[in-house]
Amino acid sequence: MVLSPQETSISKGKESVLYAISYIRVSTKKQSEESKSGLDRQHEQYIHWLAAHPNYRNLDGYVYRDAGVSGRGTNRKKGALSVLLKDAKLGKFPVDTCVVVENMTRLCRGGPQEALSLILEICKYGLTIGFTQLGGHIFRGEEDDPL
């Protein structure tokens, strides 16, 4: 089912509701079992990101977590990230849904070309990317200059 953004009224007019989904990854199963695991930390960062971006709402029903999956291509081929990309390709997300991740290394541990290819693929499907560790900056594709 394809979801469309809903409009909500605010005091100065109407504003489109935007949606966010989180992608969380840790490299080893041990990291996911620790008391202060990377999974918990990244989830908390996502919650804080949503609070800092009140025009975004969590897109319910979509959870993407890779526990014990390498960011060196494995997550893109057979991990939760591959499912996220397939869902995006199928149009399951409203346009401009933001994929929120801790930082680029959670998405990709490959070289610059591999990372750029992944970013372009995500943007091609109409999604944006938000990083919790970059002051919450949202990258929207070609018009962004991350530097």
Side-chain angles (χ1 to χ4, degrees):
M1 175 168 92
V2 177
L3 301 172
S4 300
Q6 302 170 347
E7 288 192 1
T8 182
S9 27
I10 58 175
S11 61
K12 295 182 181 178
K14 290 189 176 183
E15 177 182 296
S16 292
V17 173
L18 296 170
Y19 293 97
I21 55 177
S22 70
Y23 172 69
I24 296 171
R25 184 188 66 76
V26 293
S27 299
T28 67
K29 296 236 184 234
K30 183 180 178 187
Q31 288 174 313
S32 66
E33 296 166 355
E34 295 171 354
S35 62
K36 289 192 175 189
S37 78
L39 295 175
D40 293 340
R41 182 193 71 244
Q42 290 175 59
H43 177 71
E44 288 175 18
Q45 289 177 351
Y46 175 64
I47 299 302
H48 290 300
W49 186 94
L50 283 172
H53 296 85
N55 54 326
Y56 282 85
R57 305 286 180 267
N58 180 62
L59 186 57
D60 293 337
Y62 295 96
V63 177
Y64 299 96
R65 287 183 174 204
D66 278 323
V69 177
S70 171
R72 297 199 185 275
T74 304
N75 60 334
R76 192 172 177 180
K77 294 176 185 164
K78 60 182 181 180
L81 181 61
S82 72
V83 176
L84 187 156
L85 294 170
K86 287 176 191 168
D87 286 349
K89 185 176 184 178
L90 293 171
K92 291 188 176 184
F93 309 121
V95 173
D96 290 332
T97 293
C98 189
V99 179
V100 180
V101 296
E102 181 178 54
N103 58 48
M104 191 62 206
T105 65
R106 298 300 93 209
L107 286 173
C108 179
R109 287 280 195 174
Q113 289 181 332
E114 185 179 339
L116 180 59
S117 170
L118 177 57
I119 290 169
L120 292 173
E121 183 176 1
I122 291 169
C123 292
K124 176 177 79 173
Y125 297 135
L127 304 176
T128 61
I129 305 170
F131 295 105
T132 62
Q133 289 189 345
L134 290 177
H137 185 78
I138 301 167
F139 295 94
R140 292 185 164 77
E142 293 178 10
E143 74 272 6
D144 277 318
D145 181 3
L147 300 177

